[in-house]
Amino acid sequence: MLRRPLLLLALVALLAAAAAGASAAATPGEHVGAAATKRITPSGVGAVKLGATYRKLRAAGLVGRLRRGCELAGPKQRFARLKAPLRGTADFTTSKPRRVKTITVAGGATARGVGVGDSEADIRAAFPKAKFDHGTDDTFGITVVRVPRSDGGRLQFALGTKSDEVELIALPRLAFCE
């Protein structure tokens, strides 16, 4: 006899916890489950701007901790992961104060509606003057798409040669291990 009230109480507690979690996940003015995408412009991605200092971005909760960069770039090279809803990294200068030098987006943002997973046709429709460079096809397995300044540029796309989809978007350029 005591089992049924306990089961009912456990079910009510579970539903209450699920509702609280769903409301906590939504930020003010945002619907639960709505995809939050940021805008990529020539100056940056959302609130992460080229030239911004690491200290300012970290204090605003936009990037994670500094990590060592590519070994070939030298011992002072550092990067930080972008925080949600963005996915990707920000590379910083080697001098202090460290400033954003390159932003690489792997998700959570679009440039004129073109995001990770979109096709070559989507890039051509949004950026008619984009230049497709097939010089890296065999080496890296990507086609580098350069968008000139006259077409809203200072950005590049990494288009997968096998998938024919955008894999990365970078400002002002894709950072191969320098």
Side-chain angles (χ1 to χ4, degrees):
M1 283 190 170
L2 194 57
R3 283 183 145 183
R4 185 169 278 170
L6 287 177
L7 184 61
L8 185 60
L9 184 63
L11 184 60
V12 169
L14 183 63
L15 290 173
S23 65
T27 58
E30 183 179 3
H31 298 290
V32 177
T37 59
K38 300 292 182 183
R39 242 178 99 204
I40 298 173
T41 65
S43 62
V45 181
V48 180
K49 304 294 183 192
L50 292 172
T53 64
Y54 169 73
R55 191 169 289 198
K56 176 185 165 193
L57 295 175
R58 179 75 171 169
L62 298 171
V63 296
R65 67 180 179 84
L66 278 179
R67 300 167 183 262
R68 288 187 181 267
C70 176
E71 294 170 0
L72 299 176
K76 293 184 178 182
Q77 183 60 43
R78 299 292 184 267
F79 77 95
R81 290 191 178 129
L82 301 174
K83 295 263 185 130
L86 296 173
R87 284 184 300 136
T89 60
D91 292 330
F92 291 88
T93 58
T94 55
S95 61
K96 292 188 179 182
R98 291 187 182 271
R99 296 184 179 276
V100 177
K101 178 173 62 171
T102 307
I103 303 169
T104 305
V105 177
T110 61
R112 290 191 190 169
V114 179
V116 173
D118 287 340
S119 68
E120 178 180 336
D122 295 327
I123 296 173
R124 290 188 189 275
F127 302 97
K129 296 179 184 176
K131 306 288 184 213
F132 289 74
D133 181 3
H134 295 280
T136 56
D137 288 4
D138 294 333
T139 309
F140 295 108
I142 61 166
T143 299
V144 175
V145 183
R146 291 179 177 86
V147 178
R149 285 182 188 260
S150 63
D151 200 14
R154 272 191 57 167
L155 68 114
Q156 293 182 345
F157 293 93
L159 190 65
T161 55
K162 292 183 181 176
S163 66
D164 289 328
E165 292 180 347
V166 174
E167 294 181 2
L168 297 170
I169 305 170
L171 296 168
R173 60 185 168 70
L174 289 164
F176 294 100
C177 192
E178 301 171 358

